[in-house]
Structures are given as C-alpha cells and as structure tokens.
Amino acid sequence: MTDDDAIPPRRMARWPWAWACAVWAAAWLLMLGLDKHIGLAQAAITLVLASALAAIWLPTLASLATTTLAVAAFDWFLVPPKHAFAVELTEDMLLLAEILVLSWVVTGLLARGRVLASRARRSARHADQMRRLGDALRDTEDPLRRGEALRASLQDLLGGPPRLLLLRNETPAPADDDASTTLGDPSADDLVGLWHCVRLCRQFGPGTGHEQELPALYLPLRGTEDEAFGAAMIAVNPAEPVDDEVLVQAQALCDQMGQLLHRARTQREAESAQARAQGQAVRNALLAAISHDYRTPLAAIMGAASSLRDQGGKLAPEQRQRLAQSIVTETRQLSRLTDNTLQLVRLDAPGVQLHLDWESPDELAGVAIDRARKHHDPERRIKVWAEPGLPLVRCDAVLFSQMLENLIDNAMKYSDPPAPVELTVRRHGQHIVFAVRDNGPGIEPQWREKIFDVFQRGDWRSGSSNSAAQRGAGVGLAVCRSIALAHGGELRLRQPAQGGSSFECWLPEQDSPGVEDRESTLDGGRP
C-alpha cells in the first residue's frame, strides 16, 4: 500500500483543495504584505507553517510539489536579489535548503500519520466486523442463518454478493450435493469452482497468486490447516486485484466459519463416540449381570433335575415334591429375568409401538394380584383396594400387568413375612395412581435417586433378611419406569410416614369412550 492509497477519496474532493489554496493564499499575503517589516527567518517560518497546514488536505505528491514551488517563489519574491533565482548570501542559500527539507519532512510525517491512521481505522473496522460475525454465529444453531451472517460480512467487505457451499458432515465425495448446502444460488460453473476450492483447501482468483485470470475470488472455509468445511465465491474484476489486507480479512471471516463447523463436527463425533462407549458398557454390564444371575437358578434346576433322574426311586414323595417345586420356582425366576431384559431392550428402542386398548383399573390390579399369589408364598398377605367409579385407562395390558407384578415382586423381596404388601388404585387430580406399598425397612436416602437405574439392586435397602432380595439382574425397576414412561406416565417413590416404601405409577387420565364406542373399537369398527 502506498501513501496515496491510504488517503480516503474525500481528500481529493473540491473543498480540501480549496482549503489548501486558502492556506497558501493567506500565507503569501502575510509574507508579501509584511516583507518590509519582518526578516527572512520569520517569513521562512510562515512558509513552513503553511506547507504543514496544506499537507493536511493535499495528497503526498501534490504537497511535495506545492512546497517545492513555494520555496522557489520564496526565492524569487523575498530573497535578495529579488525577482531572480540568484542568491547573494550563503546563509540565504542555507535557509532555502533548510526550508525545503523541513517542509518535505513535515509533509512526509503527515502522510505517514495519515497512513497509520487509515490502517488503524481499517483494523478497527475489521476487528469490529470479526466480532459482529462471531456474535451472529454464536446466537444461532441454524447452519443456514450462520451462512447468511457470513455472506453479509463478506458482502460488506468486498461489495459483491457471495455464494457459499457448506458441508454438512465430513468431506463428501466430489460434487455430492446431498452432503452440502448452498447459499446465494450458485450456477453449475460456480459449484465446480467451489468444490475445487474445498478439495484443495486453498484460495484462488485475482490477487491470490493462483488462477488469477478467473472473474471470481474463491476462499476456503478452513477448519484446520489442510481441511475445508465449505467455500465462498465472490465475483471481482480481474483487472483490479483485491487489496492484500482486504483479502486477509475475507479469509479470516471464512476461517471463523470453518472453525465453527469443525468444532461442531468434532463435538458430534465426541458425542457419538461417547454414546457408543456407553452403549458398549451397558451391553457388557447387561451380559455380565444376566450371566451371573442365570447361573444360580440354572444350577438349582440342574441339581434338582439330576437328583430326580438319578435318585427318584429312592426319594420320599415329600423330597420329590420339594425338588419339583424348586425346579418350578427357579424356572419362573429365569422367565421373569428374561421377560424383564427383553422388555427393557424393546422399550429403549426408537419407534416402539404399544398395543393400547381401554382397560379397567380394577381388572389390571386383579390380574396382577392373582399372578403374584400364585407365584409367591400363598401365606403372604397381599391386599388390594381400588377406588370406586374409576374411569378406563388406555394402556398395553400385558406390559402394565408386568409392571405391577414387578412392583409386587420387589415389595415382597424387601419385606419379611408376615408383613403385608398393598396394591391400591385411586384417582388424584387428572391422574390414575397405581401404588404398591410394602412394610419393609425402607430405602437409604443416598439410593432414592438411583433405584430406577439399570443394574442397581440389593444393597439400597437395609434390614431385610430375605435372601431373595439379593437376586436378580437389577433391571426390574428400570423396566417398570420404562413401561410407565412409554404410557406417558411417571414412576415415583414415596416414603410413607408409617415406614416402608410406596412405588407409584401416575398415569394421565384420558377421556374414555362409552360402552358402544368401546365395543366398536374392540370389533375393529365393523357394524
């Protein structure tokens, strides 16, 4: 950049020239009018002052030329002998040389000051532009709005409307339009150049040193030194290359967008890797838990079956009955573990479809109680109470019954006989609440937020002597929570003041159909 390039266009306007002419006219009137009253030294100071003031408005070359002419005129009109370029005294020759050099130095310093001031203003504008673009990029997560913010900044800097190519994920195959987004309606030729810029990760066009004959400037959106996440194209005049500072600023704006896209991709990859690691950890823990918990019932079944096979004739009827009952009990434990595991996997899968129908809360509770009484100690008391006049609930009867049975099984494990287990169904506001309460020792405070997580079991209650409490893969309550969430409800834990624990499924109440509507639904809508 030269000194004149730093001068804004307004310096060349009519009025700045007029101000410079006015300064010189006033200076000459003063020097000629006071020629007989002041010496050459005072007149010389007036000339230097006029040269410095005129240099404020005049371009550098014009100021130097004007100062040189003014010194020559000073010699002609004021230095003896007057009206001649000859000089009588040596000190007058030295004075003229000093005036000329001093005026040139002042002019040069003012020109340098204008250059520095212009660069400072430009740097401030560029810094402000970078800040405003950064704010605009942070204020939105929409890639299209971010691209529009970059287009606005480039247009403000270069004048022409930019066209952008933004990659969505990793660098795709050449010209893979499905993996990119364009802004500004680039033509087919423009897209070829944009993809070329992305592949090379290098700027080209007028002023870049590469393919300068092109009628457009191509800038990569660099996220790293050798990888671009898009490209920008701005039409320019090849005969007028872009200024180096402007080109650096334009590339900095593009790199700011590229670094943001790179950070977004890195974050997505980190989240994906974390999700895969967590999924692998869950699978490993599930396999380990299932393998461990299958071992005990299988060993019991194997031992009982081997005894019946090898020593069945020697055993008393009571012994054979006890071994057969052991096989039935352990098989039921395996079945429950398998059902819970399969339901947990199924409910966590995306797009799961439930078989919903209108069911009676009384019937759901009754089915769960009947199954619990058959599968557990018949001497244990299981109480059930349902509020009269409850509306129908829309649910998957199989899943919902499994949830209630899991809650009852959990309550019986963690409370010792003959303490009863209670199942109540009531209406609370706009919810139907299914609550299973035990009279066990309760749950330690530090475990009350963890009990619904997978593989949490056994040690979150204290004081229970029931050995069955230590069995299971720790997925029962996790399955119950997943079933409640799948029905739009919520599974809560409440600690009654009387002791024990109450697990409550809060199911939103819905407008149930009338009898005719329900029959029509059950018949598939056929008349």
Side-chain angles (χ1 to χ4, degrees):
M1 177 184 293
T2 65
D3 293 346
D4 291 338
D5 293 333
I7 301 173
R10 61 184 180 86
R11 302 292 192 212
M12 304 300 294
R14 177 182 58 184
W15 291 112
W17 277 93
W19 281 105
C21 293
V23 167
W24 277 117
W28 279 108
L29 288 176
L30 183 64
M31 288 186 293
L32 294 175
L34 299 178
D35 181 29
K36 297 179 181 181
H37 304 284
I38 60 175
L40 284 178
Q42 289 78 10
I45 293 174
T46 303
L47 188 146
V48 172
L49 178 61
S51 175
L53 292 175
I56 296 175
W57 292 285
L58 295 177
T60 302
L61 295 179
S63 180
L64 292 175
T66 304
T67 299
T68 303
L69 291 176
V71 171
F74 184 83
D75 181 23
W76 180 270
F77 289 106
L78 298 177
V79 177
K82 297 181 179 180
H83 305 296
F85 289 110
V87 179
E88 292 180 351
L89 301 176
T90 305
E91 56 266 27
D92 293 340
M93 178 65 72
L94 181 60
L95 178 64
L96 289 174
E98 290 175 344
I99 292 173
L100 183 62
V101 172
L102 182 59
S103 298
W104 282 358
V105 169
V106 171
T107 299
L109 290 176
L110 287 173
R112 182 60 179 170
R114 287 199 300 270
V115 171
L116 295 177
S118 176
R119 288 179 178 175
R121 288 192 298 270
R122 177 176 290 185
S123 297
R125 288 195 303 270
H126 290 176
D128 182 66
Q129 190 178 45
M130 291 287 290
R131 179 190 59 78
R132 285 186 281 109
L133 177 60
D135 292 341
L137 296 179
R138 285 192 300 271
D139 289 343
T140 179
E141 296 293 334
D142 185 2
L144 295 181
R145 294 183 61 183
R146 287 175 170 175
E148 290 296 344
L150 176 60
R151 290 188 68 218
S153 297
L154 290 176
Q155 185 167 0
D156 179 60
L157 180 67
L158 296 171
R163 296 170 176 83
L164 296 185
L165 173 70
L166 303 177
L167 302 187
R168 294 178 182 146
N169 294 308
E170 298 182 0
T171 304
D176 186 0
D177 295 334
D178 294 335
S180 63
T181 301
T182 58
L183 296 175
D185 297 328
S187 64
D189 292 339
D190 296 339
L191 283 176
V192 172
L194 289 170
W195 279 111
H196 185 60
C197 184
V198 171
R199 298 297 168 189
L200 295 180
C201 191
R202 186 182 67 190
Q203 57 183 221
F204 53 88
T208 64
H210 302 283
E211 304 180 37
Q212 300 197 97
E213 70 282 359
L214 293 175
L217 181 65
Y218 291 86
L219 302 175
L221 275 58
R222 298 180 299 197
T224 61
E225 188 172 338
D226 56 354
E227 185 176 12
F229 292 82
M233 187 213 80
I234 307 98
V236 295
N237 186 357
E240 300 178 3
V242 179
D243 183 80
D244 290 343
E245 290 188 10
V246 175
L247 183 59
V248 169
Q249 174 68 5
Q251 186 60 63
L253 294 173
C254 293
D255 289 346
Q256 188 174 9
M257 181 69 172
Q259 291 165 7
L260 180 65
L261 295 174
H262 177 245
R263 288 195 299 271
R265 192 187 77 175
T266 303
Q267 182 177 0
R268 288 195 301 269
E269 291 176 348
E271 292 174 352
S272 177
Q274 183 179 6
R276 289 195 299 269
Q278 290 178 346
Q280 186 63 41
V282 170
R283 285 192 292 271
N284 292 341
L286 180 60
L287 290 174
I290 292 176
S291 299
H292 176 271
D293 289 297
Y294 266 60
R295 200 172 287 133
T296 299
L298 285 174
I301 293 172
M302 179 66 71
S306 298
S307 298
L308 288 174
R309 182 193 63 185
D310 299 336
Q311 302 178 10
K314 301 178 182 180
L315 298 176
E318 296 78 5
Q319 293 177 316
R320 291 196 299 269
Q321 180 65 26
R322 189 165 55 252
L323 291 174
Q325 182 61 40
S326 175
I327 294 175
V328 172
T329 302
E330 297 301 335
T331 303
R332 185 180 298 116
Q333 176 68 18
L334 284 177
S335 177
R336 179 183 297 279
L337 177 59
T338 303
D339 289 343
N340 284 337
T341 304
L342 291 177
Q343 293 297 358
L344 183 64
V345 173
R346 174 194 170 201
L347 293 173
D348 285 344
V352 60
Q353 296 291 330
L354 304 182
H355 301 288
L356 300 177
D357 200 353
W358 293 102
E359 305 289 345
S360 168
D362 301 352
E363 294 179 2
L364 293 172
V367 170
I369 290 295
D370 290 341
R371 295 179 64 179
R373 285 172 176 165
K374 292 178 182 178
H375 297 165
H376 296 281
D377 184 2
E379 300 299 327
R380 291 291 299 272
R381 295 183 59 194
I382 304 178
K383 300 179 180 179
V384 60
W385 177 83
E387 179 181 327
L390 290 175
L392 300 178
V393 294
R394 188 166 176 79
C395 66
D396 186 317
V398 175
L399 281 179
F400 213 82
S401 296
Q402 181 179 352
M403 179 191 69
L404 295 178
E405 188 176 358
N406 280 347
L407 294 177
I408 295 173
D409 178 71
N410 183 76
M412 298 187 73
K413 282 182 180 179
Y414 290 95
S415 61
D416 298 327
V421 172
E422 302 175 3
L423 170 59
T424 62
V425 187
R426 71 183 189 277
R427 173 186 280 168
H428 190 282
Q430 298 298 317
H431 291 80
I432 305 299
V433 182
F434 294 79
V436 177
R437 177 187 172 188
D438 62 57
N439 290 277
I443 299 174
E444 297 294 334
Q446 66 270 22
W447 283 95
R448 292 173 186 171
E449 297 298 327
K450 304 177 182 178
I451 57 175
F452 297 112
D453 294 339
V454 185
F455 313 129
Q456 302 294 342
R457 57 176 184 147
D459 56 350
W460 46 264
R461 300 212 196 191
S462 61
S464 176
S465 60
N466 191 350
S467 61
Q470 304 302 320
R471 300 178 59 181
V475 298
L477 288 178
V479 171
C480 293
R481 181 186 61 178
S482 297
I483 293 175
L485 293 176
H487 286 83
E490 181 182 4
L491 189 62
R492 304 177 185 177
L493 167 64
R494 186 172 62 87
Q495 298 290 131
Q498 302 88 339
S501 303
S502 179
F503 290 90
E504 303 177 349
C505 175
W506 290 61
L507 198 63
E509 182 179 345
Q510 302 182 37
D511 293 333
S512 58
V515 176
E516 295 181 358
D517 294 336
R518 187 165 184 266
E519 291 178 352
S520 176
T521 302
L522 294 175
D523 292 339
R526 295 188 299 270

